[in-house]
Amino acid sequence: MFATLSDRLTATFKNLRGKGRLSEADIDATAREIRIALLEADVALPVVKDFVAAVKERARSEEVSGALNPAQQVVKIVNDELVAILGGETRRLRYAKSGPTVIMLAGLQGAGKTTLAAKLALWLKEQGKTPLLVACDLQRPNAVQQLQVNGEKVGVPVFAPEPGNGTGDPVSVAKASIEEAKRRLHDVVIVDTAGRLGVDAEMMAQAAGIRDAVQPDEVLFVVDAMIGQDALITAQAFLDGVGYDGVVLTKLDGDARGGAALSIRHVTGRPVMFASSGEKMTDFDVFHPDRMASRILDMGDVLTLIEQAEKAFDQEEAMRAAEKLTGGDFTLDDFLSQMQQLKKLGSMQKILGMLPGMGQIREQLENFDEREIDRVEAIIRSMTPAERDNPKIIDGSRRARIAKGSGRTVSDVNGLVDRFFEARKMMMQMARGGGMPGMPGMPGMPGMGGPGGGKRVSAKQKAKQTKGKGARKSGNPAKAAQDAAAAQAKAAESKPNPFGIGQDIDYEAAAENLQLPKDFSKFLK
């Protein structure tokens, strides 16, 4: 959603790199680019004015002029101001001290309230709560049935005494739901209310009636993040007519410009509490302003990635895999198990998109084929247990059989087996505290092109490299022998001799001084 804004801001900061000091013209040019980027992202004009003014004021202060890297300081300022307009701190749900906590959802029709009610119920269930869904949208056709289906999906009961489709009193249903929750010992009640295609007096009166009947602990305004500036008008109208405590943004995975998400907190003064970013029931989480700002500035969202991984990955399984890697026993079965756990995290595009700097390869990410993991799984499952346990036995005929069984080509099987061996070698080296092979320019790591690393050099290449180096040898055999003896003596003098090599040595004392076992003295000798 914020791709355009992210690209514009990244390009703006690139222009500041390498500048030891920012002039007034640099600050004005940067502020102008930020203003254009925000306006193009459909951010409300009052928000843009306040944001740019705050950035310019801080950019002219001592915190930038005295910084070692002014460009990075400007990025930090923009990040801080983005966090501020998104709400500053993460706002958590308030729970009732006694009785069930009542959460009421309000918003326009089509914003995604009914689906979001089920997502919120699943999230609360994962937090150890026992929620109850209440169907108070009795106007929209099949709204009650939709909530019942979604409730069944997430394993949360639905209170729906009325069939809906234009019949029944939503205020009476809301009142009865509180008694039902107390009777069945539910500690959270989520009330799904009706929406309309526009803001009207009848809708506001109904929403206000439900609010007065159940006295909710939290009223959440559900807004579609894709509708742009109109979201602000609706948000203000609901604030005046019904009132609410927090905002929930839906459809954050859309391709709209997303200005409403940046503007709504500043305009209404109410924090964004939750965000829905997909069609799955699990695509829902608490809204963190600092993490969203980090994503917009292409600095990734590693904390969310870690949280998702902790939920999806089996810790004991991960520990076993790590032990196998260290011992060199990592097989294709273990590799398949890791791939299946990775699938639990969701879309690979989303996962990779949370890593810093991924905005620079957005095009490649968008073209990533999610079915690639399924293809790898098909190839591995077409192998026998012995082949998975020891891929070295997979010869040409076996590869042809595996290719036929998985519906892939022999080259695909070859590629997978080769990549597995390379990945296993690299992971073993990392697990044992070594460097990562195959990456150029890293010093002191085998196979990495830096000092102490680089490509492997054959004996012939070494001979070629050393050929012609050093002092010329004399053609006279006597003279050559004399020169060789002198060179050896010189080398012996220049070499450090900590153990006194060539002298009478007490090897046991040497072993003791080095804090080694006494038996080690034999090795020293």
Side-chain angles (χ1 to χ4, degrees), residues 190-512:
I190 302 168
V191 182
D192 177 33
T193 63
R196 295 290 188 279
L197 293 175
V199 178
D200 58 35
E202 185 189 346
M203 177 182 123
M204 288 299 180
Q206 189 187 94
I210 294 171
R211 179 201 63 201
D212 295 339
V214 299
Q215 293 294 310
D217 299 281
E218 296 277 16
V219 179
L220 302 181
F221 175 62
V222 182
V223 61
D224 182 348
M226 295 178 70
I227 64 174
Q229 293 294 312
D230 192 51
L232 303 179
I233 300 166
T234 310
Q236 194 60 52
F238 264 89
L239 189 62
D240 298 337
V242 181
Y244 51 84
D245 304 294
V247 177
V248 182
L249 292 171
T250 62
K251 306 178 190 176
L252 268 181
D253 57 327
D255 56 0
R257 290 174 289 181
L262 292 170
S263 309
I264 203 161
R265 165 69 175 82
H266 192 276
V267 171
T268 64
R270 297 294 185 271
V272 179
M273 291 176 61
F274 294 98
S276 173
S277 57
E279 294 180 4
K280 291 181 181 177
M281 291 295 164
T282 50
D283 293 335
F284 174 86
D285 208 347
V286 174
F287 183 83
H288 299 278
D290 53 341
R291 299 184 192 181
M292 183 55 72
S294 184
R295 282 196 205 186
I296 291 170
L297 295 177
D298 196 25
M299 293 190 287
D301 185 1
V302 179
L303 283 175
T304 300
L305 185 59
I306 290 168
E307 285 173 6
Q308 288 184 4
E310 283 176 346
K311 287 180 191 173
F313 278 75
D314 181 351
Q315 201 167 0
E316 288 182 12
E317 184 77 27
M319 289 295 289
R320 278 198 298 271
E323 284 172 12
K324 283 190 171 186
L325 268 174
T326 311
D329 300 325
F330 195 74
T331 66
L332 278 165
D333 271 325
D334 302 316
F335 181 65
L336 179 61
S337 172
Q338 294 295 305
M339 294 284 277
Q340 287 170 335
Q341 291 206 49
L342 194 63
K343 279 173 74 175
K344 291 179 190 175
L345 284 174
S347 163
M348 284 298 292
Q349 285 185 21
K350 280 187 184 176
I351 296 166
L352 294 171
M354 289 182 194
L355 297 172
M358 286 293 118
Q360 296 168 30
I361 56 166
R362 188 175 289 115
E363 210 170 300
Q364 291 94 312
L365 280 181
E366 287 169 359
N367 294 328
F368 179 80
D369 190 352
E370 297 284 348
R371 293 172 299 174
E372 189 62 36
I373 295 176
D374 297 328
R375 293 180 189 126
V376 168
E377 191 172 336
I379 292 172
I380 296 174
R381 289 196 183 281
S382 298
M383 298 176 184
T384 64
E387 288 166 348
R388 290 184 215 169
D389 196 49
N390 182 15
K392 288 180 181 177
I393 67 171
I394 304 176
D395 55 18
S397 62
R398 288 175 185 262
R399 292 180 190 220
R401 190 205 76 240
I402 292 164
K404 282 181 184 176
S406 60
R408 308 304 302 159
T409 63
V410 174
S411 61
D412 289 336
V413 178
N414 292 341
L416 172 64
V417 173
D418 292 345
R419 286 203 305 271
F420 170 74
F421 282 128
E422 286 172 15
R424 185 169 71 172
K425 183 181 176 184
M426 181 183 78
M427 297 300 283
M428 281 171 62
Q429 197 166 340
M430 288 175 69
R432 291 170 180 172
M436 286 176 63
M439 290 177 66
M442 297 291 286
M445 296 188 182
M448 300 187 87
K455 295 179 180 177
R456 291 185 180 178
V457 183
S458 67
K460 285 184 180 179
Q461 286 174 321
K462 279 184 180 177
K464 282 182 183 177
Q465 287 173 6
T466 53
K467 194 174 180 181
K469 290 184 181 179
R472 289 176 176 273
K473 289 186 180 179
S474 171
N476 186 335
K479 176 70 173 165
Q482 191 178 352
D483 290 344
Q488 274 186 344
K490 190 174 182 182
E493 284 173 18
S494 63
K495 281 183 183 176
N497 195 5
F499 298 111
I501 302 298
Q503 302 168 19
D504 291 330
I505 305 162
D506 184 347
Y507 289 104
E508 286 187 10
E512 193 177 337

Side-chain angles (χ1 to χ4, degrees), residues 46-68:
V47 180
V48 175
K49 284 182 175 177
D50 292 349
F51 184 88
V52 173
V55 169
K56 282 179 81 171
E57 185 182 346
R58 286 186 63 183
R60 291 191 177 106
S61 67
E62 287 183 13
E63 68 177 301
V64 173
S65 59
L68 291 173

Side-chain angles (χ1 to χ4, degrees), residues 167-183:
T167 60
D169 178 18
V171 177
S172 301
V173 172
K175 271 185 185 176
S177 70
I178 305 301
E179 295 304 317
E180 179 71 8
K182 287 176 181 176
R183 187 178 68 81

Side-chain angles (χ1 to χ4, degrees), residues 71-205:
Q72 285 184 2
Q73 200 65 29
V74 170
V75 174
K76 181 183 179 298
I77 289 168
V78 172
N79 181 66
D80 292 348
E81 294 302 324
L82 272 175
V83 172
I85 67 167
L86 286 167
E89 293 180 357
T90 304
R91 161 79 154 78
R92 305 282 178 179
L93 275 175
R94 288 190 301 255
Y95 295 104
K97 291 179 181 176
S98 61
T101 301
V102 182
I103 300 169
M104 175 180 160
L105 304 180
L108 291 180
Q109 188 174 323
K113 289 189 303 302
T114 306
T115 305
L116 188 123
K119 288 183 177 183
L120 178 59
L122 177 61
W123 182 84
L124 287 165
K125 191 178 170 186
E126 288 172 351
Q127 307 299 311
K129 303 291 180 183
T130 53
L132 174 70
L133 288 164
V134 182
C136 286
D137 183 355
L138 306 179
Q139 303 297 322
R140 182 167 61 86
N142 295 320
V144 174
Q145 286 82 355
Q146 184 190 351
L147 189 65
Q148 286 172 331
V149 169
N150 286 342
E152 194 177 334
K153 274 185 188 176
V154 298
V156 173
V158 178
F159 180 68
E162 298 287 352
N165 298 323
T167 60
D169 178 18
V171 177
S172 301
V173 172
K175 271 185 185 176
S177 70
I178 305 301
E179 295 304 317
E180 179 71 8
K182 287 176 181 176
R183 187 178 68 81
R184 293 169 63 179
L185 302 176
H186 289 281
D187 53 9
V188 181
V189 177
I190 302 168
V191 182
D192 177 33
T193 63
R196 295 290 188 279
L197 293 175
V199 178
D200 58 35
E202 185 189 346
M203 177 182 123
M204 288 299 180

